[in-house]
Amino acid sequence: MQTLTPHVYWAQRHGEIYLRVELSDAQDLDISVHENTLHFRAQGHGAKGDNEYEFSLEFLESVEPQVTHRSTQRQVNITVRKQEHSWWDRLTLQERKPVFLAPDFDRWMEESDAEMELRAKEEKISKVSVESRSPKDPYLGLKRGYLFMYNLVQFLGFSWIFVNMTVRLFILGQDSLYDTFHTIADMMYFCQILAVVEVVNPALGIVRTGLMPPLIQLVGRNVILFVIFGSLEDMQNKAVVFFVFYLWSIIEIFRYPYYMLACISTEWTMLTWLRYSLWIPLYPMGVLAEAVAVIQSLPIFDETRLFSIPLPESLGSSLSFSYSLQIYLVLMFLGLFINFRHLFRQRKRRLRPKRRKLH
């Protein structure tokens, strides 16, 4: 029986070399490393049928003498550990690649991708280590159940708003833009009052998120909803109400399901992408619509003197609330900048590029 060379495919990481030998039903395996050279001999079914196959590979740098391997019906998988964590320019000491050797594209990575995978593993190990040292929260299940129900209720509320507004837009056309407040306001009041929970949760330590971003959003939306729209009847029939409510609802029908799944340790890749990508155009559009609403309300507050601050007679009759809203406009765009930075950091963490394969 003649001795032949099998097809061998290789890939590497910073600490290991992976070899895949195309040899099915391998028997009498003899695999060893001596003086940085791997010796392989086995009997099985390869490219030339049932024969004895063997090969040797002298590695580019030093490796550990211990070799681990696993034989399946179709192939033999071999793992060799490098003595030093480093990235090799090639596998063998000789510059010319052996004819039987080829890259294993199923496991192949560029150095940058391998470094990213290594960092991800180290972060995971560090996280597990920290979690194992920290005491378990006896109320974790209760907290998750509470957060799941909260996000579910908010998702249902904003879904009702979005569907209702969409159906009315298709049926009534432009007429639906001018009576949005009278048909949607009650549900929007409910959702925005309930959203106070998103400030209370980080304040009490129920969730590990910052307090400022949800506080900025809550205050901003409630000023628009209760002060601008709720207190001024002249604003309630304007088309800007439709655009503000519609943009809010589109953002939330993707945000709340994402948090619901997080409560049960589940992630949908597409939902994650939508949650951390849609806000890039929608959030500035929402702030712009809110700014339009504030600007449209200024002459109404000047005329009605609603919420005006009385002044001594020597200074005038009163200070119009519109001056406060003009200051609020500046703060609104400052809040947009703060939340944008926060959301972009979140997006960078959540949508970290996955390792790519070469084909």
Side-chain angles (χ1 to χ4, degrees):
M1 182 180 296
Q2 64 182 42
T3 301
L4 302 169
T5 303
H7 293 304
V8 182
Y9 302 89
W10 78 284
Q12 68 169 316
R13 300 295 184 269
H14 285 84
E16 298 90 16
I17 296 293
Y18 302 119
L19 300 174
R20 175 166 58 87
V21 183
E22 289 292 319
L23 191 63
S24 58
D25 300 321
Q27 299 176 357
D28 302 327
L29 284 166
D30 182 12
I31 306 173
S32 62
V33 172
H34 180 66
E35 294 183 352
N36 298 321
T37 301
L38 174 76
H39 301 282
F40 175 94
R41 176 177 293 179
Q43 184 173 332
H45 187 85
K48 299 294 183 179
D50 289 322
N51 280 292
E52 185 176 71
Y53 292 84
E54 66 176 335
F55 68 88
S56 296
L57 288 172
E58 186 176 5
F59 294 116
L60 178 65
E61 297 182 19
S62 300
V63 297
E64 300 289 346
Q66 295 81 16
V67 178
T68 58
H69 65 86
R70 183 172 61 89
S71 179
T72 67
Q73 290 184 346
R74 299 181 59 185
Q75 62 196 27
V76 179
N77 297 309
I78 303 171
T79 302
V80 181
R81 288 190 168 276
K82 301 175 181 178
Q83 283 194 352
E84 295 183 0
H85 279 61
S86 61
W87 194 259
W88 295 359
D89 295 331
R90 61 181 186 273
L91 179 64
T92 58
L93 184 61
Q94 63 179 26
E95 293 187 9
R96 186 175 181 181
K97 179 178 70 67
V99 293
F100 62 86
L101 187 65
D104 186 353
F105 290 112
D106 290 335
R107 304 192 71 169
W108 191 266
M109 279 189 180
E110 298 294 343
E111 183 177 5
S112 59
D113 296 325
E115 289 176 350
M116 187 176 298
E117 182 189 59
L118 183 62
R119 285 198 300 269
K121 287 181 179 179
E122 291 174 348
E123 289 175 2
K124 186 175 181 180
I125 293 172
S126 176
K127 181 179 179 181
V128 171
S129 176
V130 171
E131 289 178 350
S132 63
R133 291 196 301 268
S134 59
K136 292 184 178 180
D137 186 353
Y139 302 106
L140 182 60
L142 185 62
K143 289 179 180 178
R144 286 184 174 180
Y146 151 72
L147 291 172
F148 182 89
M149 290 305 300
Y150 165 75
N151 288 295
L152 175 61
V153 170
Q154 288 285 47
F155 169 66
L156 293 176
F158 279 104
S159 295
W160 183 91
I161 293 172
F162 175 77
V163 172
N164 189 300
M165 294 179 68
T166 302
V167 170
R168 288 175 57 82
L169 181 63
F170 276 104
I171 295 176
L172 302 177
Q174 291 187 1
D175 292 341
S176 68
L177 303 182
Y178 302 101
D179 65 348
T180 299
F181 185 85
H182 303 289
T183 56
I184 303 298
D186 288 342
M187 182 60 73
M188 189 61 79
Y189 280 143
F190 170 79
C191 290
Q192 285 307 123
I193 292 173
L194 189 61
V196 174
V197 169
E198 297 183 29
V199 176
V200 174
N201 286 342
L204 298 180
I206 297 176
V207 295
R208 297 179 181 179
T209 57
L211 178 63
M212 192 56 63
L215 180 62
I216 291 173
Q217 178 171 294
L218 178 69
V219 172
R221 286 189 176 182
N222 285 347
V223 166
I224 299 298
L225 179 61
F226 291 96
V227 178
I228 305 297
F229 296 154
S231 63
L232 297 177
E233 290 187 10
D234 291 343
M235 289 296 301
Q236 295 172 6
N237 297 320
K238 293 185 179 294
V240 69
V241 179
F242 175 90
F243 293 104
V244 170
F245 284 6
Y246 205 62
L247 289 168
W248 288 357
S249 65
I250 294 174
I251 293 173
E252 304 302 18
I253 60 175
F254 293 105
R255 186 167 73 97
Y256 286 116
Y258 171 80
Y259 289 138
M260 284 169 53
L261 293 179
C263 292
I264 55 176
S265 302
T266 303
E267 181 177 352
W268 291 351
T269 303
M270 179 56 69
L271 181 60
T272 302
W273 185 87
L274 289 170
R275 187 267 178 268
Y276 286 105
S277 299
L278 280 180
W279 64 265
I280 296 176
L282 293 180
Y283 187 48
M285 290 170 62
V287 173
L288 183 61
E290 294 171 20
V292 170
V294 172
I295 293 171
Q296 289 182 349
S297 71
L298 295 179
I300 303 176
F301 278 111
D302 285 336
E303 181 181 349
T304 60
R305 314 305 295 177
L306 185 65
F307 303 137
S308 296
I309 302 173
L311 295 175
E313 293 184 2
S314 59
L315 297 177
S317 59
S318 63
L319 180 65
S320 176
F321 183 67
S322 64
Y323 295 117
S324 300
L325 290 179
Q326 291 174 38
I327 297 174
Y328 173 73
L329 271 176
V330 178
L331 297 178
M332 180 187 298
F333 287 98
L334 178 61
L336 171 65
F337 173 73
I338 294 173
N339 270 355
F340 236 82
R341 290 186 60 190
H342 170 74
L343 290 170
F344 261 114
R345 285 197 297 267
Q346 281 192 330
R347 187 177 191 273
K348 187 176 180 180
R349 284 200 307 269
R350 298 294 182 180
L351 302 184
R352 182 175 295 168
K354 306 293 183 182
R355 66 181 180 90
R356 63 184 187 273
K357 296 178 181 179
L358 298 179
H359 296 284

